[in-house]
PDB file of all heavy atoms in Angstrom:
ATOM      1  N   LYS A   5     205.621 119.623-115.620  1.00  0.00           N
ATOM      2  CA  LYS A   5     204.480 120.505-115.413  1.00  0.00           C
ATOM      3  C   LYS A   5     203.235 119.629-115.388  1.00  0.00           C
ATOM      4  O   LYS A   5     202.946 118.917-116.353  1.00  0.00           O
ATOM      5  CB  LYS A   5     204.372 121.551-116.522  1.00  0.00           C
ATOM      6  CG  LYS A   5     203.270 122.583-116.280  1.00  0.00           C
ATOM      7  CD  LYS A   5     203.042 123.464-117.499  1.00  0.00           C
ATOM      8  CE  LYS A   5     204.237 124.327-117.813  1.00  0.00           C
ATOM      9  NZ  LYS A   5     203.940 125.240-118.968  1.00  0.00           N
ATOM     10  N   ILE A   6     202.500 119.680-114.279  1.00  0.00           N
ATOM     11  CA  ILE A   6     201.332 118.812-114.099  1.00  0.00           C
ATOM     12  C   ILE A   6     200.058 119.577-114.411  1.00  0.00           C
ATOM     13  O   ILE A   6     199.804 120.646-113.836  1.00  0.00           O
ATOM     14  CB  ILE A   6     201.266 118.271-112.661  1.00  0.00           C
ATOM     15  CG1 ILE A   6     202.562 117.537-112.289  1.00  0.00           C
ATOM     16  CG2 ILE A   6     200.073 117.322-112.505  1.00  0.00           C
ATOM     17  CD1 ILE A   6     202.615 117.098-110.832  1.00  0.00           C
ATOM     18  N   GLY A   7     199.256 119.049-115.301  1.00  0.00           N
ATOM     19  CA  GLY A   7     197.926 119.575-115.547  1.00  0.00           C
ATOM     20  C   GLY A   7     196.957 118.932-114.576  1.00  0.00           C
ATOM     21  O   GLY A   7     196.830 117.704-114.537  1.00  0.00           O
ATOM     22  N   ILE A   8     196.277 119.742-113.767  1.00  0.00           N
ATOM     23  CA  ILE A   8     195.359 119.241-112.742  1.00  0.00           C
ATOM     24  C   ILE A   8     193.944 119.665-113.120  1.00  0.00           C
ATOM     25  O   ILE A   8     193.633 120.858-113.182  1.00  0.00           O
ATOM     26  CB  ILE A   8     195.716 119.775-111.352  1.00  0.00           C
ATOM     27  CG1 ILE A   8     197.152 119.379-110.983  1.00  0.00           C
ATOM     28  CG2 ILE A   8     194.724 119.264-110.306  1.00  0.00           C
ATOM     29  CD1 ILE A   8     197.662 120.011-109.703  1.00  0.00           C
ATOM     30  N   ILE A   9     193.100 118.683-113.371  1.00  0.00           N
ATOM     31  CA  ILE A   9     191.750 118.935-113.868  1.00  0.00           C
ATOM     32  C   ILE A   9     190.715 118.508-112.839  1.00  0.00           C
ATOM     33  O   ILE A   9     190.768 117.396-112.304  1.00  0.00           O
ATOM     34  CB  ILE A   9     191.477 118.145-115.165  1.00  0.00           C
ATOM     35  CG1 ILE A   9     192.514 118.466-116.235  1.00  0.00           C
ATOM     36  CG2 ILE A   9     190.069 118.419-115.681  1.00  0.00           C
ATOM     37  CD1 ILE A   9     192.433 117.552-117.450  1.00  0.00           C
ATOM     38  N   GLY A  10     189.755 119.388-112.577  1.00  0.00           N
ATOM     39  CA  GLY A  10     188.562 119.036-111.818  1.00  0.00           C
ATOM     40  C   GLY A  10     187.352 119.458-112.633  1.00  0.00           C
ATOM     41  O   GLY A  10     187.379 120.495-113.307  1.00  0.00           O
ATOM     42  N   ALA A  11     186.287 118.682-112.587  1.00  0.00           N
ATOM     43  CA  ALA A  11     185.111 119.015-113.391  1.00  0.00           C
ATOM     44  C   ALA A  11     184.335 120.187-112.806  1.00  0.00           C
ATOM     45  O   ALA A  11     183.749 120.978-113.538  1.00  0.00           O
ATOM     46  CB  ALA A  11     184.203 117.794-113.515  1.00  0.00           C
ATOM     47  N   MET A  12     184.338 120.292-111.474  1.00  0.00           N
ATOM     48  CA  MET A  12     183.534 121.305-110.797  1.00  0.00           C
ATOM     49  C   MET A  12     184.412 122.236-109.968  1.00  0.00           C
ATOM     50  O   MET A  12     185.531 121.875-109.594  1.00  0.00           O
ATOM     51  CB  MET A  12     182.493 120.632-109.901  1.00  0.00           C
ATOM     52  CG  MET A  12     181.540 119.717-110.653  1.00  0.00           C
ATOM     53  SD  MET A  12     180.269 119.018-109.561  1.00  0.00           S
ATOM     54  CE  MET A  12     181.279 118.087-108.419  1.00  0.00           C
ATOM     55  N   GLU A  13     183.888 123.403-109.658  1.00  0.00           N
ATOM     56  CA  GLU A  13     184.658 124.391-108.906  1.00  0.00           C
ATOM     57  C   GLU A  13     185.064 123.859-107.538  1.00  0.00           C
ATOM     58  O   GLU A  13     186.162 124.129-107.049  1.00  0.00           O
ATOM     59  CB  GLU A  13     183.855 125.682-108.757  1.00  0.00           C
ATOM     60  CG  GLU A  13     184.623 126.833-108.124  1.00  0.00           C
ATOM     61  CD  GLU A  13     185.847 127.244-108.930  1.00  0.00           C
ATOM     62  OE1 GLU A  13     185.855 127.076-110.173  1.00  0.00           O
ATOM     63  OE2 GLU A  13     186.811 127.743-108.303  1.00  0.00           O
ATOM     64  N   SER A  14     184.174 123.087-106.899  1.00  0.00           N
ATOM     65  CA  SER A  14     184.490 122.555-105.575  1.00  0.00           C
ATOM     66  C   SER A  14     185.698 121.634-105.603  1.00  0.00           C
ATOM     67  O   SER A  14     186.366 121.433-104.577  1.00  0.00           O
ATOM     68  CB  SER A  14     183.283 121.794-105.010  1.00  0.00           C
ATOM     69  OG  SER A  14     182.969 120.665-105.813  1.00  0.00           O
ATOM     70  N   GLU A  15     186.001 121.075-106.764  1.00  0.00           N
ATOM     71  CA  GLU A  15     187.105 120.130-106.891  1.00  0.00           C
ATOM     72  C   GLU A  15     188.453 120.818-107.110  1.00  0.00           C
ATOM     73  O   GLU A  15     189.499 120.179-106.977  1.00  0.00           O
ATOM     74  CB  GLU A  15     186.816 119.150-108.035  1.00  0.00           C
ATOM     75  CG  GLU A  15     185.593 118.284-107.781  1.00  0.00           C
ATOM     76  CD  GLU A  15     185.120 117.520-108.997  1.00  0.00           C
ATOM     77  OE1 GLU A  15     185.541 117.845-110.125  1.00  0.00           O
ATOM     78  OE2 GLU A  15     184.304 116.604-108.819  1.00  0.00           O
ATOM     79  N   VAL A  16     188.448 122.096-107.449  1.00  0.00           N
ATOM     80  CA  VAL A  16     189.716 122.798-107.709  1.00  0.00           C
ATOM     81  C   VAL A  16     189.873 124.084-106.902  1.00  0.00           C
ATOM     82  O   VAL A  16     190.937 124.691-106.926  1.00  0.00           O
ATOM     83  CB  VAL A  16     189.878 123.129-109.213  1.00  0.00           C
ATOM     84  CG1 VAL A  16     189.996 121.854-110.042  1.00  0.00           C
ATOM     85  CG2 VAL A  16     188.736 123.998-109.713  1.00  0.00           C
ATOM     86  N   SER A  17     188.834 124.506-106.184  1.00  0.00           N
ATOM     87  CA  SER A  17     188.884 125.801-105.509  1.00  0.00           C
ATOM     88  C   SER A  17     190.002 125.862-104.475  1.00  0.00           C
ATOM     89  O   SER A  17     190.735 126.871-104.397  1.00  0.00           O
ATOM     90  CB  SER A  17     187.535 126.113-104.847  1.00  0.00           C
ATOM     91  OG  SER A  17     187.183 125.113-103.913  1.00  0.00           O
ATOM     92  N   THR A  18     190.174 124.809-103.679  1.00  0.00           N
ATOM     93  CA  THR A  18     191.240 124.793-102.675  1.00  0.00           C
ATOM     94  C   THR A  18     192.615 124.879-103.327  1.00  0.00           C
ATOM     95  O   THR A  18     193.513 125.574-102.830  1.00  0.00           O
ATOM     96  CB  THR A  18     191.155 123.520-101.814  1.00  0.00           C
ATOM     97  OG1 THR A  18     189.901 123.499-101.128  1.00  0.00           O
ATOM     98  CG2 THR A  18     192.283 123.460-100.793  1.00  0.00           C
ATOM     99  N   LEU A  19     192.786 124.196-104.441  1.00  0.00           N
ATOM    100  CA  LEU A  19     194.070 124.210-105.145  1.00  0.00           C
ATOM    101  C   LEU A  19     194.370 125.603-105.685  1.00  0.00           C
ATOM    102  O   LEU A  19     195.492 126.101-105.575  1.00  0.00           O
ATOM    103  CB  LEU A  19     194.062 123.191-106.279  1.00  0.00           C
ATOM    104  CG  LEU A  19     193.757 121.742-105.876  1.00  0.00           C
ATOM    105  CD1 LEU A  19     193.735 120.848-107.112  1.00  0.00           C
ATOM    106  CD2 LEU A  19     194.775 121.238-104.870  1.00  0.00           C
ATOM    107  N   LYS A  20     193.371 126.266-106.243  1.00  0.00           N
ATOM    108  CA  LYS A  20     193.574 127.615-106.785  1.00  0.00           C
ATOM    109  C   LYS A  20     193.880 128.619-105.673  1.00  0.00           C
ATOM    110  O   LYS A  20     194.675 129.548-105.872  1.00  0.00           O
ATOM    111  CB  LYS A  20     192.343 128.046-107.586  1.00  0.00           C
ATOM    112  CG  LYS A  20     192.168 127.259-108.887  1.00  0.00           C
ATOM    113  CD  LYS A  20     191.177 127.893-109.826  1.00  0.00           C
ATOM    114  CE  LYS A  20     189.797 127.951-109.274  1.00  0.00           C
ATOM    115  NZ  LYS A  20     188.806 128.436-110.266  1.00  0.00           N
ATOM    116  N   GLU A  21     193.261 128.423-104.516  1.00  0.00           N
ATOM    117  CA  GLU A  21     193.518 129.324-103.391  1.00  0.00           C
ATOM    118  C   GLU A  21     194.926 129.121-102.822  1.00  0.00           C
ATOM    119  O   GLU A  21     195.538 130.059-102.309  1.00  0.00           O
ATOM    120  CB  GLU A  21     192.485 129.077-102.289  1.00  0.00           C
ATOM    121  CG  GLU A  21     191.076 129.528-102.659  1.00  0.00           C
ATOM    122  CD  GLU A  21     190.029 128.980-101.706  1.00  0.00           C
ATOM    123  OE1 GLU A  21     190.430 128.310-100.712  1.00  0.00           O
ATOM    124  OE2 GLU A  21     188.830 129.187-101.951  1.00  0.00           O
ATOM    125  N   THR A  22     195.437 127.898-102.931  1.00  0.00           N
ATOM    126  CA  THR A  22     196.735 127.561-102.347  1.00  0.00           C
ATOM    127  C   THR A  22     197.896 127.904-103.272  1.00  0.00           C
ATOM    128  O   THR A  22     198.966 128.299-102.820  1.00  0.00           O
ATOM    129  CB  THR A  22     196.791 126.054-102.014  1.00  0.00           C
ATOM    130  OG1 THR A  22     195.679 125.722-101.166  1.00  0.00           O
ATOM    131  CG2 THR A  22     198.077 125.683-101.308  1.00  0.00           C
ATOM    132  N   MET A  23     197.704 127.781-104.570  1.00  0.00           N
ATOM    133  CA  MET A  23     198.793 127.947-105.521  1.00  0.00           C
ATOM    134  C   MET A  23     199.161 129.413-105.721  1.00  0.00           C
ATOM    135  O   MET A  23     198.372 130.321-105.414  1.00  0.00           O
ATOM    136  CB  MET A  23     198.430 127.329-106.874  1.00  0.00           C
ATOM    137  CG  MET A  23     197.390 128.117-107.662  1.00  0.00           C
ATOM    138  SD  MET A  23     196.963 127.353-109.259  1.00  0.00           S
ATOM    139  CE  MET A  23     198.493 127.550-110.179  1.00  0.00           C
ATOM    140  N   LYS A  24     200.350 129.629-106.250  1.00  0.00           N
ATOM    141  CA  LYS A  24     200.779 130.952-106.678  1.00  0.00           C
ATOM    142  C   LYS A  24     200.649 131.001-108.192  1.00  0.00           C
ATOM    143  O   LYS A  24     201.439 130.406-108.924  1.00  0.00           O
ATOM    144  CB  LYS A  24     202.230 131.217-106.271  1.00  0.00           C
ATOM    145  CG  LYS A  24     202.742 132.576-106.713  1.00  0.00           C
ATOM    146  CD  LYS A  24     204.209 132.772-106.355  1.00  0.00           C
ATOM    147  CE  LYS A  24     204.720 134.127-106.858  1.00  0.00           C
ATOM    148  NZ  LYS A  24     206.167 134.308-106.565  1.00  0.00           N
ATOM    149  N   ALA A  25     199.615 131.677-108.674  1.00  0.00           N
ATOM    150  CA  ALA A  25     199.327 131.706-110.106  1.00  0.00           C
ATOM    151  C   ALA A  25     200.071 132.860-110.775  1.00  0.00           C
ATOM    152  O   ALA A  25     199.963 134.012-110.353  1.00  0.00           O
ATOM    153  CB  ALA A  25     197.832 131.838-110.347  1.00  0.00           C
ATOM    154  N   ASP A  26     200.828 132.545-111.821  1.00  0.00           N
ATOM    155  CA  ASP A  26     201.539 133.561-112.585  1.00  0.00           C
ATOM    156  C   ASP A  26     200.652 134.181-113.659  1.00  0.00           C
ATOM    157  O   ASP A  26     200.807 135.343-114.012  1.00  0.00           O
ATOM    158  CB  ASP A  26     202.779 132.953-113.242  1.00  0.00           C
ATOM    159  CG  ASP A  26     203.774 132.437-112.213  1.00  0.00           C
ATOM    160  OD1 ASP A  26     203.912 133.072-111.163  1.00  0.00           O
ATOM    161  OD2 ASP A  26     204.395 131.383-112.467  1.00  0.00           O
ATOM    162  N   GLN A  27     199.734 133.372-114.183  1.00  0.00           N
ATOM    163  CA  GLN A  27     198.830 133.874-115.213  1.00  0.00           C
ATOM    164  C   GLN A  27     197.581 133.012-115.264  1.00  0.00           C
ATOM    165  O   GLN A  27     197.583 131.852-114.847  1.00  0.00           O
ATOM    166  CB  GLN A  27     199.508 133.891-116.584  1.00  0.00           C
ATOM    167  CG  GLN A  27     199.909 132.526-117.115  1.00  0.00           C
ATOM    168  CD  GLN A  27     200.459 132.595-118.525  1.00  0.00           C
ATOM    169  OE1 GLN A  27     200.281 133.588-119.240  1.00  0.00           O
ATOM    170  NE2 GLN A  27     201.118 131.524-118.977  1.00  0.00           N
ATOM    171  N   VAL A  28     196.507 133.617-115.760  1.00  0.00           N
ATOM    172  CA  VAL A  28     195.248 132.899-115.984  1.00  0.00           C
ATOM    173  C   VAL A  28     194.862 133.107-117.439  1.00  0.00           C
ATOM    174  O   VAL A  28     194.703 134.246-117.891  1.00  0.00           O
ATOM    175  CB  VAL A  28     194.121 133.411-115.061  1.00  0.00           C
ATOM    176  CG1 VAL A  28     192.844 132.619-115.315  1.00  0.00           C
ATOM    177  CG2 VAL A  28     194.533 133.326-113.604  1.00  0.00           C
ATOM    178  N   ILE A  29     194.751 132.033-118.177  1.00  0.00           N
ATOM    179  CA  ILE A  29     194.414 132.094-119.595  1.00  0.00           C
ATOM    180  C   ILE A  29     193.064 131.426-119.806  1.00  0.00           C
ATOM    181  O   ILE A  29     192.830 130.312-119.318  1.00  0.00           O
ATOM    182  CB  ILE A  29     195.490 131.396-120.451  1.00  0.00           C
ATOM    183  CG1 ILE A  29     196.825 132.142-120.334  1.00  0.00           C
ATOM    184  CG2 ILE A  29     195.049 131.287-121.912  1.00  0.00           C
ATOM    185  CD1 ILE A  29     197.967 131.471-121.069  1.00  0.00           C
ATOM    186  N   THR A  30     192.168 132.099-120.506  1.00  0.00           N
ATOM    187  CA  THR A  30     190.849 131.542-120.802  1.00  0.00           C
ATOM    188  C   THR A  30     190.826 130.972-122.211  1.00  0.00           C
ATOM    189  O   THR A  30     191.186 131.653-123.169  1.00  0.00           O
ATOM    190  CB  THR A  30     189.757 132.611-120.654  1.00  0.00           C
ATOM    191  OG1 THR A  30     189.783 133.131-119.314  1.00  0.00           O
ATOM    192  CG2 THR A  30     188.381 132.018-120.917  1.00  0.00           C
ATOM    193  N   LYS A  31     190.423 129.742-122.303  1.00  0.00           N
ATOM    194  CA  LYS A  31     190.354 129.052-123.592  1.00  0.00           C
ATOM    195  C   LYS A  31     189.162 128.105-123.555  1.00  0.00           C
ATOM    196  O   LYS A  31     188.989 127.368-122.591  1.00  0.00           O
ATOM    197  CB  LYS A  31     191.647 128.264-123.827  1.00  0.00           C
ATOM    198  CG  LYS A  31     191.834 127.726-125.230  1.00  0.00           C
ATOM    199  CD  LYS A  31     192.350 128.795-126.164  1.00  0.00           C
ATOM    200  CE  LYS A  31     192.735 128.183-127.508  1.00  0.00           C
ATOM    201  NZ  LYS A  31     193.139 129.208-128.486  1.00  0.00           N
ATOM    202  N   ALA A  32     188.337 128.138-124.597  1.00  0.00           N
ATOM    203  CA  ALA A  32     187.157 127.271-124.698  1.00  0.00           C
ATOM    204  C   ALA A  32     186.266 127.393-123.457  1.00  0.00           C
ATOM    205  O   ALA A  32     185.665 126.421-123.003  1.00  0.00           O
ATOM    206  CB  ALA A  32     187.573 125.813-124.909  1.00  0.00           C
ATOM    207  N   GLY A  33     186.186 128.601-122.914  1.00  0.00           N
ATOM    208  CA  GLY A  33     185.347 128.844-121.754  1.00  0.00           C
ATOM    209  C   GLY A  33     185.917 128.335-120.442  1.00  0.00           C
ATOM    210  O   GLY A  33     185.228 128.365-119.420  1.00  0.00           O
ATOM    211  N   MET A  34     187.172 127.877-120.454  1.00  0.00           N
ATOM    212  CA  MET A  34     187.815 127.354-119.246  1.00  0.00           C
ATOM    213  C   MET A  34     188.941 128.294-118.830  1.00  0.00           C
ATOM    214  O   MET A  34     189.679 128.794-119.681  1.00  0.00           O
ATOM    215  CB  MET A  34     188.388 125.958-119.511  1.00  0.00           C
ATOM    216  CG  MET A  34     187.404 124.952-120.053  1.00  0.00           C
ATOM    217  SD  MET A  34     188.228 123.409-120.541  1.00  0.00           S
ATOM    218  CE  MET A  34     186.952 122.677-121.584  1.00  0.00           C
ATOM    219  N   ASN A  35     189.075 128.506-117.519  1.00  0.00           N
ATOM    220  CA  ASN A  35     190.144 129.347-116.987  1.00  0.00           C
ATOM    221  C   ASN A  35     191.295 128.467-116.505  1.00  0.00           C
ATOM    222  O   ASN A  35     191.135 127.680-115.571  1.00  0.00           O
ATOM    223  CB  ASN A  35     189.628 130.201-115.832  1.00  0.00           C
ATOM    224  CG  ASN A  35     188.579 131.196-116.282  1.00  0.00           C
ATOM    225  OD1 ASN A  35     188.686 131.778-117.364  1.00  0.00           O
ATOM    226  ND2 ASN A  35     187.568 131.399-115.461  1.00  0.00           N
ATOM    227  N   PHE A  36     192.451 128.622-117.140  1.00  0.00           N
ATOM    228  CA  PHE A  36     193.627 127.819-116.840  1.00  0.00           C
ATOM    229  C   PHE A  36     194.561 128.652-115.958  1.00  0.00           C
ATOM    230  O   PHE A  36     195.093 129.678-116.395  1.00  0.00           O
ATOM    231  CB  PHE A  36     194.336 127.409-118.121  1.00  0.00           C
ATOM    232  CG  PHE A  36     193.542 126.457-118.982  1.00  0.00           C
ATOM    233  CD1 PHE A  36     192.524 126.928-119.807  1.00  0.00           C
ATOM    234  CD2 PHE A  36     193.802 125.096-118.964  1.00  0.00           C
ATOM    235  CE1 PHE A  36     191.783 126.058-120.601  1.00  0.00           C
ATOM    236  CE2 PHE A  36     193.072 124.223-119.743  1.00  0.00           C
ATOM    237  CZ  PHE A  36     192.054 124.701-120.566  1.00  0.00           C
ATOM    238  N   TYR A  37     194.764 128.207-114.716  1.00  0.00           N
ATOM    239  CA  TYR A  37     195.624 128.892-113.749  1.00  0.00           C
ATOM    240  C   TYR A  37     197.009 128.246-113.790  1.00  0.00           C
ATOM    241  O   TYR A  37     197.171 127.098-113.359  1.00  0.00           O
ATOM    242  CB  TYR A  37     195.043 128.786-112.348  1.00  0.00           C
ATOM    243  CG  TYR A  37     193.777 129.578-112.142  1.00  0.00           C
ATOM    244  CD1 TYR A  37     192.571 129.158-112.703  1.00  0.00           C
ATOM    245  CD2 TYR A  37     193.777 130.749-111.393  1.00  0.00           C
ATOM    246  CE1 TYR A  37     191.399 129.878-112.521  1.00  0.00           C
ATOM    247  CE2 TYR A  37     192.610 131.489-111.206  1.00  0.00           C
ATOM    248  CZ  TYR A  37     191.434 131.048-111.780  1.00  0.00           C
ATOM    249  OH  TYR A  37     190.274 131.771-111.596  1.00  0.00           O
ATOM    250  N   GLU A  38     197.992 128.962-114.308  1.00  0.00           N
ATOM    251  CA  GLU A  38     199.342 128.429-114.418  1.00  0.00           C
ATOM    252  C   GLU A  38     200.228 129.059-113.355  1.00  0.00           C
ATOM    253  O   GLU A  38     200.230 130.279-113.173  1.00  0.00           O
ATOM    254  CB  GLU A  38     199.925 128.707-115.805  1.00  0.00           C
ATOM    255  CG  GLU A  38     201.292 128.076-116.006  1.00  0.00           C
ATOM    256  CD  GLU A  38     201.816 128.244-117.426  1.00  0.00           C
ATOM    257  OE1 GLU A  38     201.333 129.160-118.135  1.00  0.00           O
ATOM    258  OE2 GLU A  38     202.679 127.452-117.830  1.00  0.00           O
ATOM    259  N   GLY A  39     200.980 128.220-112.661  1.00  0.00           N
ATOM    260  CA  GLY A  39     201.861 128.730-111.617  1.00  0.00           C
ATOM    261  C   GLY A  39     202.511 127.608-110.844  1.00  0.00           C
ATOM    262  O   GLY A  39     202.817 126.553-111.405  1.00  0.00           O
ATOM    263  N   MET A  40     202.704 127.816-109.541  1.00  0.00           N
ATOM    264  CA  MET A  40     203.401 126.857-108.689  1.00  0.00           C
ATOM    265  C   MET A  40     202.486 126.385-107.571  1.00  0.00           C
ATOM    266  O   MET A  40     201.761 127.175-106.964  1.00  0.00           O
ATOM    267  CB  MET A  40     204.651 127.497-108.087  1.00  0.00           C
ATOM    268  CG  MET A  40     205.638 128.051-109.107  1.00  0.00           C
ATOM    269  SD  MET A  40     206.412 126.764-110.125  1.00  0.00           S
ATOM    270  CE  MET A  40     207.487 125.996-108.899  1.00  0.00           C
ATOM    271  N   LEU A  41     202.534 125.102-107.319  1.00  0.00           N
ATOM    272  CA  LEU A  41     201.779 124.494-106.227  1.00  0.00           C
ATOM    273  C   LEU A  41     202.724 123.579-105.459  1.00  0.00           C
ATOM    274  O   LEU A  41     203.249 122.609-106.023  1.00  0.00           O
ATOM    275  CB  LEU A  41     200.588 123.700-106.770  1.00  0.00           C
ATOM    276  CG  LEU A  41     199.637 123.072-105.750  1.00  0.00           C
ATOM    277  CD1 LEU A  41     198.927 124.144-104.936  1.00  0.00           C
ATOM    278  CD2 LEU A  41     198.610 122.186-106.456  1.00  0.00           C
ATOM    279  N   GLU A  42     202.976 123.913-104.199  1.00  0.00           N
ATOM    280  CA  GLU A  42     203.921 123.135-103.387  1.00  0.00           C
ATOM    281  C   GLU A  42     205.282 123.005-104.082  1.00  0.00           C
ATOM    282  O   GLU A  42     205.922 121.951-104.054  1.00  0.00           O
ATOM    283  CB  GLU A  42     203.349 121.746-103.064  1.00  0.00           C
ATOM    284  CG  GLU A  42     202.074 121.766-102.246  1.00  0.00           C
ATOM    285  CD  GLU A  42     202.302 122.226-100.807  1.00  0.00           C
ATOM    286  OE1 GLU A  42     203.462 122.269-100.363  1.00  0.00           O
ATOM    287  OE2 GLU A  42     201.317 122.555-100.127  1.00  0.00           O
ATOM    288  N   GLY A  43     205.706 124.079-104.748  1.00  0.00           N
ATOM    289  CA  GLY A  43     207.000 124.083-105.415  1.00  0.00           C
ATOM    290  C   GLY A  43     207.040 123.395-106.761  1.00  0.00           C
ATOM    291  O   GLY A  43     208.113 123.263-107.355  1.00  0.00           O
ATOM    292  N   THR A  44     205.893 122.989-107.262  1.00  0.00           N
ATOM    293  CA  THR A  44     205.818 122.249-108.526  1.00  0.00           C
ATOM    294  C   THR A  44     205.074 123.068-109.579  1.00  0.00           C
ATOM    295  O   THR A  44     204.012 123.618-109.288  1.00  0.00           O
ATOM    296  CB  THR A  44     205.081 120.905-108.318  1.00  0.00           C
ATOM    297  OG1 THR A  44     205.764 120.141-107.321  1.00  0.00           O
ATOM    298  CG2 THR A  44     205.016 120.109-109.606  1.00  0.00           C
ATOM    299  N   PRO A  45     205.587 123.153-110.813  1.00  0.00           N
ATOM    300  CA  PRO A  45     204.859 123.837-111.879  1.00  0.00           C
ATOM    301  C   PRO A  45     203.561 123.091-112.211  1.00  0.00           C
ATOM    302  O   PRO A  45     203.586 121.869-112.457  1.00  0.00           O
ATOM    303  CB  PRO A  45     205.830 123.798-113.064  1.00  0.00           C
ATOM    304  CG  PRO A  45     207.170 123.525-112.472  1.00  0.00           C
ATOM    305  CD  PRO A  45     206.918 122.669-111.275  1.00  0.00           C
ATOM    306  N   VAL A  46     202.455 123.808-112.204  1.00  0.00           N
ATOM    307  CA  VAL A  46     201.157 123.189-112.470  1.00  0.00           C
ATOM    308  C   VAL A  46     200.294 124.117-113.314  1.00  0.00           C
ATOM    309  O   VAL A  46     200.541 125.316-113.411  1.00  0.00           O
ATOM    310  CB  VAL A  46     200.393 122.866-111.159  1.00  0.00           C
ATOM    311  CG1 VAL A  46     201.164 121.883-110.289  1.00  0.00           C
ATOM    312  CG2 VAL A  46     200.052 124.134-110.389  1.00  0.00           C
TER     313      VAL A  46
END
């Protein structure tokens, strides 16, 4: 399972739009999108 971090929205927006998110968990003011990206758990 790969954790993919970007500091700004522009750095992760394409990834979030492409992935299939199973859940979104908010912790410490950050939204963690967990799911599959190109067949890989991320």
Side-chain angles (χ1 to χ4, degrees):
K5 186 189 295 183
I6 304 174
I8 302 173
I9 304 171
M12 301 183 298
E13 186 61 29
S14 63
E15 296 168 345
V16 295
S17 59
T18 299
L19 303 178
K20 291 194 297 186
E21 290 166 4
T22 305
M23 72 181 292
K24 179 183 178 182
D26 297 323
Q27 63 175 344
V28 181
I29 296 176
T30 301
K31 192 81 171 175
M34 305 172 197
N35 295 321
F36 293 80
Y37 291 73
E38 184 175 21
M40 303 294 289
L41 184 65
E42 298 290 346
T44 302
V46 299

